[in-house]
Amino acid sequence: MNFCAVLDCSNRSNTEKDKGYCRIPAIVSRSKPKKQALSVERRATWLARIRREDLVGDATEFYRVCGDHFISGT
């Protein structure tokens, strides 16, 4: 079961079956420096927009963000 990591969002994968859940991006460490820097920047942006101070380090590996928090192209 996945829980949305965004503050005040109560969506869960067992009750909201039609929603997608995305992982918080990991830092790519075994790659070229440019790609690694991009992954660090991308992860920092996600964490800044989620606005939760308790999400730090490897603990974010299991957190997800539900589809309600993404801009849709449709």
Side-chain angles (χ1 to χ4, degrees), residues 28-46:
V28 178
S29 59
R30 296 181 184 171
S31 188
K32 296 180 180 180
K34 188 175 182 179
K35 189 173 183 180
Q36 184 176 358
L38 178 63
S39 70
V40 169
E41 181 181 335
R42 183 178 295 138
R43 181 180 176 85
T45 301
W46 273 61

Side-chain angles (χ1 to χ4, degrees), residues 4-61:
C4 184
V6 176
L7 205 59
D8 296 328
C9 183
S10 60
N11 289 337
R12 296 183 297 196
S13 63
N14 67 337
T15 58
E16 304 290 333
K17 298 195 184 297
D18 61 330
K19 294 193 188 313
Y21 291 81
C22 297
R23 290 182 182 197
I24 296 171
I27 295 174
V28 178
S29 59
R30 296 181 184 171
S31 188
K32 296 180 180 180
K34 188 175 182 179
K35 189 173 183 180
Q36 184 176 358
L38 178 63
S39 70
V40 169
E41 181 181 335
R42 183 178 295 138
R43 181 180 176 85
T45 301
W46 273 61
L47 292 175
R49 290 184 179 171
I50 292 174
R51 290 185 234 151
R52 284 192 43 195
E53 294 178 10
D54 61 328
L55 295 182
V56 293
D58 293 335
T60 60
E61 179 182 350

